[in-house]
Amino acid sequence: MKKYLLSSAMLAATLSLTSCLGSTSDEQVLTYNYGSSESCFNRVIDLQDGSEFIASSPSYNLKYTPAEAQVEITLSNIILSPAASPLSFKFPAMKYTQDQLDGFIVTTGRSIVPENAGNSTYVFDTFNLRAYFGRKLGPVYYIRYQLDINNEPRYEVTTYAKRNAYVGPVIATDLTDNSVYNTANNLDAQADTYYIVNLDQEKRTATLQVYNGKYSDSMTPLVFMVKDLPYTYTEYGYTIVAGTDNALPVYTATSGEKPAEGLEMTDLSIVGNLQNGATIRFKCNLGDNDKYNVTANLRYLLYNTNKN
């Protein structure tokens, strides 16, 4: 299985292969846009009164120059409170590095004065961006910053993806015979299985979609979903706890709008960390595929930490 531990020498090639706006290799300038009503939203905390505001459709434009390891960042449609007008900010060029664990491109900054600020009193006390572009489940972005006004901390902003796709090892215990299925040391067994948590910020509910879930050697991979899951925001992500009092109906590709007969999920727990991934636990009755107690420790990338 291919390792996702990319060397610095490979970084420019990786970026050039994943440019989403078609910049030519001669230019060595690679531009990515993140943000729309379909892709993400901002959670804004007013640091003066502790109130929370969910702002739709922020826009982040990222212009990378691999030869100089620099990125130019422009923020648009940034709304900080219900009555506020949208703001735009253009940052001076910033250096980026590569996370040697799993290849994320990392940009951090402190006390950033936007180039278009003029006489404005806006200063970004901290800015953190983690991005990865070249995976089959779509790019990943983690964006978080604190915006000061008149040298006083005022807003903390975290950008949430609506579609969060994860992969990683699974430990599943068959509740019929207590046999254990563990993919921790078998990346091939995980390659086609992934989990997607879709967040609806307006209803504050989520869906969990499992693609090609496999919890025993004899199980046929199954695509299934549970939905209408209330979620709670945390400092660095979200949590979901559902199915503790009543079983959650399970939907499959063949059941359509109705729950699949005889399938259910209980004791579902999801702890999402926007920077790293998620831990998902549940018990499930998958009918002819048996009953399982499942723990999945997931990240955004499937990679091998074996250095050999």
Side-chain angles (χ1 to χ4, degrees):
M1 175 61 67
K2 177 183 177 181
K3 295 183 179 181
Y4 284 90
L5 302 179
L6 306 181
S7 68
S8 298
M10 294 173 62
L11 183 55
T14 301
L15 285 171
S16 63
L17 287 172
T18 59
S19 172
C20 60
L21 293 186
S23 299
T24 67
S25 58
D26 292 337
E27 294 175 340
Q28 283 297 295
V29 173
L30 307 158
T31 302
Y32 302 87
N33 288 300
Y34 178 53
S36 71
S37 60
E38 299 300 321
S39 62
C40 70
F41 57 92
N42 278 347
R43 180 181 180 229
V44 184
I45 303 297
D46 189 321
L47 297 174
Q48 289 188 355
D49 61 20
S51 61
E52 173 188 285
F53 173 62
I54 303 300
S56 297
S57 306
S59 179
Y60 299 90
N61 177 270
L62 313 173
K63 183 179 178 182
Y64 287 90
T65 306
E68 300 175 8
Q70 287 188 341
V71 57
E72 297 175 39
I73 302 172
T74 302
L75 290 63
S76 304
N77 199 40
I78 303 301
I79 304 173
L80 299 173
S81 67
S85 298
L87 299 171
S88 296
F89 303 98
K90 184 178 184 346
F91 288 2
M94 302 169 62
K95 288 288 186 179
Y96 65 79
T97 58
Q98 185 186 14
D99 184 327
Q100 291 303 304
L101 175 63
D102 51 12
F104 273 84
I105 301 160
V106 180
T107 307
T108 60
R110 294 190 62 88
S111 301
I112 303 170
V113 178
E115 290 184 342
N116 62 332
N119 294 323
S120 169
T121 58
Y122 294 110
V123 176
F124 286 77
D125 179 71
T126 57
F127 184 88
N128 296 283
L129 164 67
R130 285 168 59 87
Y132 191 94
F133 307 106
R135 67 169 196 159
K136 69 175 184 178
L137 300 176
V140 180
Y141 301 90
Y142 169 78
I143 302 173
R144 183 183 175 93
Y145 47 91
Q146 180 177 300
L147 188 58
D148 295 355
I149 301 177
N150 292 324
N151 296 318
E152 292 292 333
R154 184 57 195 270
Y155 297 106
E156 186 175 79
V157 181
T158 304
T159 303
Y160 280 69
K162 291 187 177 182
R163 181 181 185 272
N164 301 272
Y166 309 110
V167 289
V170 169
I171 300 175
T173 302
D174 190 313
L175 296 177
T176 300
D177 61 14
N178 290 321
S179 60
V180 176
Y181 179 76
N182 187 344
T183 67
N185 296 314
N186 184 2
L187 293 179
D188 289 332
Q190 307 166 47
D192 296 321
T193 300
Y194 52 97
Y195 299 75
I196 293 179
V197 177
N198 290 296
L199 302 177
D200 185 329
Q201 84 277 16
E202 295 180 355
K203 297 180 180 178
R204 200 169 287 199
T205 59
T207 62
L208 168 63
Q209 299 170 318
V210 181
Y211 286 84
N212 298 320
K214 183 176 174 65
Y215 304 121
S216 70
D217 289 326
S218 60
M219 177 180 170
T220 301
L222 180 67
V223 178
F224 61 96
M225 174 180 71
V226 289
K227 57 184 182 179
D228 299 323
L229 309 170
Y231 71 85
T232 302
Y233 293 112
T234 64
E235 184 178 2
Y236 289 100
Y238 64 91
T239 60
I240 296 172
V241 178
T244 55
D245 298 322
N246 299 294
L248 302 169
V250 171
Y251 299 79
T252 66
T254 57
S255 70
E257 295 297 319
K258 295 183 179 180
E261 186 174 353
L263 274 61
E264 63 182 25
M265 182 183 293
T266 60
D267 300 313
L268 171 64
S269 169
I270 303 177
V271 179
N273 184 310
L274 300 186
Q275 182 169 333
N276 298 319
T279 298
I280 299 178
R281 296 183 174 91
F282 58 84
K283 295 179 181 178
C284 58
N285 181 349
L286 299 180
D288 293 340
N289 284 299
D290 226 334
K291 302 176 182 179
Y292 301 96
N293 187 359
V294 177
T295 297
N297 293 307
L298 309 174
R299 293 178 66 89
Y300 293 110
L301 303 174
L302 184 62
Y303 64 95
N304 188 357
T305 57
N306 184 356
K307 296 181 180 180
N308 296 326

